[in-house]
Amino acid sequence: MGLVTPIGSEIDTFWKHVTTGVSGIERITRFDTQHCNCKIAAEVKDFDPSLYMDFKEVQRNDRFAHFAVAAAKKALADASFSVSQAQHPGRVGVVIGSGIGGMETIRVQTGKFHHSETHKVSPFMIPSLICNIASGIVAIEIGARGPNFATATACAAGSHAIGEAFQLLYLGKADVMIAGGSEAALSELSFAGFCAMRAMSMAFNDDPTHACRPFDAKRDGFVMGEGAGVVVLETLEHALSRNARIYAELISYAASCDAYHITSPDPEGEGLTICLQNLLESAHCAPEEVDYINAHGTSTVYNDKCETLAIKKVFGKAAYDIPISSTKSMTGHLLGAAGGIEAIVAIQSICSGIIPPTMNYEYPDPECDLNYIPHKAIRKDVRIALSENLAFGGQNAALLFRRFEGI
């Protein structure tokens, strides 16, 4: 596992912060928010891409690719694996998702174009802004010649990437897959767009750490974040052959679409319901066997309500007993990177027996009445953990992890 987040970019630090309620949400420092109604975000601070890439490659690539390379190299180090050890580099692949791709590149290069400086537009503009470049750069950096592509499904991209990598392993197309999500869309342009949609929290500019309040009655929108989360997946045979430390098994992946609206979730939660039903059926897992759900929990009025409704439909009476939390209350919403980082949270809950809290759940919403683990982490034996993500376009993705108990 490897990550870059607003609350820590080493697994131990991140896990300590996410289980003790440390928030990475602050007033924005990267650009002037004078003309924006929202003035807060969860920024990654003190990140030096040159620790992970050659200086020239840093200059040629967007920040979202920097994050992806860093998270991937951290994950490989954590896995004690390098492609040079593989018998067949063509059986080591990469799938890194991103919702937006090189947003800062788009902003900077568009500015040059509109200031009649077309001769200054970078020849690296196109490759640095396209979503698939993170996967490509990671492969170049580590020498992986197996399946390589990106998932570009907005806020579900990280989960879709891990799920599609899982499918490739299952189909025998690869032995090892490096998978997850990366996003670095914190720029004036994207911020202006989300502000225009009135999608972000605007009521807590003077109290940033309380702005992201998933499932709370006073929630008023999401808080943008940035970062990356990447995992190393491999077949059991390959992992055992090299004596790998196995954190958990990925036992199921499901995807669906609301087919309802470009931005709003289906008010009846039908798309997510289908996704979660398929996820459990594929794993032959009964609802009451799930010990923890890391929810999408964006802190938007409609998402949290519809997600709660879908969980109730799928899990029935068990829905009220299963611990559910949204770690976005601390990290902010990392868009395409959310699924990668939240998969790591689900895995860590299995390894540690600790379930992180949902911060800022203070005012109960009658339509969001499940066990959201407010304020403080709890200890629980977690054998099976679920991570789910929803996205603009109506896309849904879910992953199911289980404690590895040997063969």
Side-chain angles (χ1 to χ4, degrees):
M1 303 182 289
L3 44 70
V4 176
T5 86
I7 59 171
S9 296
E10 301 300 331
I11 294 291
D12 290 347
T13 303
F14 169 77
W15 189 241
K16 177 184 176 182
H17 288 168
V18 86
T19 54
T20 55
V22 173
S23 176
I25 300 169
E26 300 175 347
R27 296 276 292 200
I28 293 173
T29 61
R30 193 170 303 153
F31 54 87
D32 187 356
T33 60
Q34 180 182 352
H35 301 294
C36 298
N37 292 325
C38 177
K39 302 181 185 299
I40 57 175
E43 297 174 293
V44 171
K45 305 274 183 73
D46 303 319
F47 174 76
D48 182 359
S50 66
L51 296 175
Y52 309 98
M53 305 170 69
D54 178 79
F55 179 74
K56 284 187 178 179
E57 291 303 316
V58 171
Q59 296 297 105
R60 292 170 178 170
N61 285 284
D62 190 88
R63 186 171 167 88
F64 94 104
H66 301 164
F67 286 163
V69 170
K73 288 189 173 180
K74 287 170 183 279
L76 287 165
D78 188 49
S80 299
F81 178 75
S82 69
V83 180
S84 62
Q85 298 169 329
Q87 261 190 316
H88 306 290
R91 293 189 60 80
V92 179
V94 183
V95 185
I96 306 289
S98 184
I100 298 178
M103 175 55 77
E104 185 62 7
T105 295
I106 294 170
R107 185 193 70 81
V108 170
Q109 300 302 322
T110 301
K112 291 179 180 180
F113 180 81
H114 284 298
H115 284 89
S116 300
E117 297 178 336
T118 53
H119 64 288
K120 292 185 179 179
V121 171
S122 171
F124 297 102
M125 180 188 76
I126 298 300
S128 63
L129 68 84
I130 52 180
C131 282
N132 70 301
I133 204 64
S135 288
I137 292 295
V138 168
I140 291 168
E141 288 283 327
I142 67 174
R145 292 184 171 86
N148 188 293
F149 58 92
T151 51
T153 48
C155 306
S159 286
H160 276 130
I162 294 172
E164 293 302 315
F166 166 76
Q167 297 278 49
L168 288 167
L169 294 173
Y170 181 78
L171 293 171
K173 305 297 184 182
D175 297 323
V176 180
M177 293 295 299
I178 293 91
S182 184
E183 202 79 85
L186 279 175
S187 78
E188 296 97 320
L189 182 60
S190 56
F191 223 71
F194 279 124
C195 281
M197 292 176 66
R198 304 190 67 81
M200 295 191 295
S201 174
M202 300 179 187
F204 295 88
N205 287 328
D206 295 324
D207 189 12
T209 61
H210 289 88
C212 191
R213 35 200 323 115
F215 308 106
D216 183 83
K218 292 194 175 183
R219 65 192 185 276
D220 75 317
F222 77 91
V223 177
M224 279 186 76
E226 61 177 353
V230 172
V231 296
V232 176
L233 301 173
E234 53 191 310
T235 63
L236 179 60
E237 180 183 15
H238 191 276
L240 293 177
S241 72
R242 68 179 192 88
N243 251 349
R245 173 184 51 196
I246 299 172
Y247 285 110
E249 291 180 271
L250 176 53
I251 60 171
S252 187
Y253 157 63
S256 69
C257 185
D258 288 359
Y260 173 75
H261 188 270
I262 57 169
T263 57
S264 294
D266 179 350
E268 298 302 317
E270 289 301 325
L272 181 58
T273 298
I274 291 168
C275 181
L276 296 179
Q277 285 173 336
N278 290 343
L279 182 80
L280 297 183
E281 288 174 9
S282 176
H284 305 289
C285 177
E288 57 272 15
E289 290 183 272
V290 175
D291 299 302
Y292 168 53
I293 297 174
N294 186 281
H296 191 54
T298 58
S299 186
T300 57
V301 173
Y302 294 117
N303 177 94
D304 294 0
K305 181 176 73 170
C306 298
E307 188 174 8
T308 297
L309 181 59
I311 291 171
K312 288 178 180 178
K313 287 182 176 181
V314 174
F315 290 89
K317 292 181 180 179
Y320 292 89
D321 298 322
I322 300 170
I324 301 166
S325 66
S326 171
T327 44
K328 289 183 179 70
S329 57
M330 293 162 278
T331 66
H333 190 355
L334 283 70
L335 308 180
I341 288 167
E342 289 160 16
I344 290 173
V345 172
I347 294 164
Q348 282 288 87
S349 73
I350 292 171
C351 296
S352 69
I354 301 174
I355 293 175
T358 301
M359 299 305 292
N360 305 320
Y361 184 76
E362 299 171 319
Y363 302 95
D365 180 340
E367 294 184 289
C368 297
D369 57 349
L370 299 178
N371 179 15
Y372 303 116
I373 316 298
H375 312 306
K376 289 186 178 180
I378 63 169
R379 290 194 173 273
K380 187 180 190 295
D381 182 39
V382 178
R383 180 171 174 268
I384 295 178
L386 188 159
S387 179
E388 62 189 37
N389 293 106
L390 292 68
F392 282 179
Q395 284 96 340
N396 307 292
L399 304 166
L400 199 63
F401 297 93
R402 182 173 62 196
R403 179 189 300 144
F404 179 67
E405 295 173 337
I407 54 173

